[in-house]
Amino acid sequence: MIIDGKAEAQKLKEEIKQEVLEKELKLKLVVVIVGDDPASQIYVRNKKLACESVGIQSEIVALESSTTQNVLNETLDKLSSDPSVNGILLQLPLPKHLNEEQALSHINCLKDVDGLTVSNAGKLFLNQTMIAPCTPLGILHLIKSVNPNLQGLNAVVVGRSALVGKPTAQLLLNENCTVTICHSKTKNLKKFTLLADILVVAIGKPKFITGDYIKKDAIVIDVGINRVDGKIVGDVEFESASKIASHITPVPKGVGPMTVAMLLKNLLNLYKLQN
Ligand code: NDP
């Protein structure tokens, strides 16, 4: 069965829109982008459109690629103390001369809509989650849409980035899964993936995971976004994997739309925490 991320995201956005309308909430997201990376520009535009579609105000602060660390930090400080701003999103990656960790430390954790500050990452680690990163939240939402009780299941996460792999593993651990994290130095990857009731793949390698890596009837979540010959493909080879898995996300229209929906949900949750 294909897990329809686009439909799930639409459902979530409708719920958010209803709440914003009914309670007449005035929410504002500010996206800070440095430089003119074309992929980042598209992502930022999509986030702005998503905000508009649910009645949330959004603003883009575009800084030149030559921006210094000090100017970026000061911009984030100013937004952090601006009472009219409910959420701040720093579009990553930054140009090479800028330090991401340092910049993120200038975002007020109560406005950290991406859940990437040390404070919010720590809360996730301690199972006191306030705001978790959007893609992992979207992944968990999709898994629970087909199996609400994950207790005791074997979950294998391939990839250990701070943005996707690690927080996904932590969310699954908080759901009482038995979690294994694999990465590029893992020996005999297949030995681990074949034990997975839930397999999440976030490595950025087109069609790397084929059907022979997958346990029968596993739930497979493909996070990868890879451009091959002008087409977007995932990290999982859909054709062979979909014959073995019980449920699988497609690429596109799987995890991608959920990431944007979760951004809106995080903003709404932050608003509630701020008030
Ligand atoms: P990173 O490059 O930050 O991390 C990749 C991870 O994969 C690393 O931990 C790396 O291991 C691991 N890895 C690489 N090759 C292998 C291998 N052969 N076997 C096992 N593990 C391997 O990527 P991200 O986590 O940021 O993103 C992963 C993918 O997800 C990308 O395609 C990205 O575009 C996509 N993505 C999609 C989103 C969405 O909304 N759908 C959002 C964010 C990302 P090591 O740590 O040892 O180097």
Side-chain angles (χ1 to χ4, degrees), residues 135 158-161 164 183-184 202-205 208 223-225 255-256 259:
T135 302
V158 190
R160 56 173 165 179
S161 69
V164 187
H183 46 77
S184 70
I203 57 177
K205 298 255 151 56
F208 186 89
V223 188
I225 300 179
V255 174
T259 298

Side-chain angles (χ1 to χ4, degrees), residues 164-234:
V164 187
K166 271 190 227 166
T168 300
Q170 194 61 52
L171 284 173
L172 289 165
L173 184 61
N174 295 351
E175 292 290 328
N176 293 320
C177 290
T178 303
V179 181
T180 306
I181 306 176
C182 300
H183 46 77
S184 70
K185 308 292 183 293
T186 298
K187 287 185 184 142
N188 196 353
L189 179 64
K190 207 183 266 185
K191 186 177 105 190
F192 297 100
T193 59
L194 279 171
L195 294 174
D197 302 309
I198 299 166
L199 178 63
V200 179
V201 189
I203 57 177
K205 298 255 151 56
K207 300 188 180 184
F208 186 89
I209 298 290
T210 44
D212 52 328
Y213 279 76
I214 295 168
K215 181 181 170 185
K216 188 161 172 14
D217 290 337
I219 298 172
V220 177
I221 306 290
D222 186 357
V223 188
I225 300 179
N226 309 287
R227 281 181 181 78
V228 178
D229 300 332
K231 275 177 73 179
I232 304 275
V233 298

